[in-house]
Amino acid sequence: MHWKLFATVADAAGERELTFDLGDEATVRDALDALFKRHPELSDVVLDDEGDLHEHMTLLCGETNPFLDGRGFDEPVGEDETLALFP
């Protein structure tokens, strides 16, 4: 799967695009965990104290927001999926 990071998220990570091989059973949570493993500094930028996505953050899985139109952190992420993260 492929991440595209924008604005302050990209600035904090120091890169705008990342690719991970998470296999066929990955979820949005797995994708975020892989992102935070490579860039632990993003965890506080993206998640609030309860571990939820900050209100000012938007995460898209393809063209869909899994927190509005799907299963949130449990939304499946395809091997060729692109996720976008931005404030």
Side-chain angles (χ1 to χ4, degrees):
M1 52 83 30
H2 186 79
W3 274 108
K4 289 187 178 184
L5 309 177
F6 296 91
T8 55
V9 180
D11 292 343
E15 58 186 321
R16 297 197 178 282
E17 297 192 25
L18 303 95
T19 300
F20 297 97
D21 182 13
L22 300 180
D24 294 332
E25 301 295 319
T27 63
V28 167
R29 170 70 69 195
D30 297 326
L32 280 169
D33 287 347
L35 179 64
F36 298 154
K37 185 175 181 179
R38 187 174 299 171
H39 289 288
E41 67 277 9
L42 291 181
S43 181
D44 290 338
V45 174
V46 175
L47 302 178
D48 64 19
D49 292 338
E50 287 80 39
D52 296 321
L53 204 64
H54 276 294
E55 285 186 18
H56 67 276
M57 296 301 298
T58 299
L59 187 152
L60 296 179
C61 187
E63 296 179 11
T64 303
N65 182 331
F67 296 95
L68 296 177
D69 304 320
R71 297 188 291 176
F73 291 117
D74 295 326
E75 183 74 15
V77 176
E79 190 174 312
D80 297 327
E81 193 77 59
T82 297
L83 287 90
L85 188 59
F86 52 93

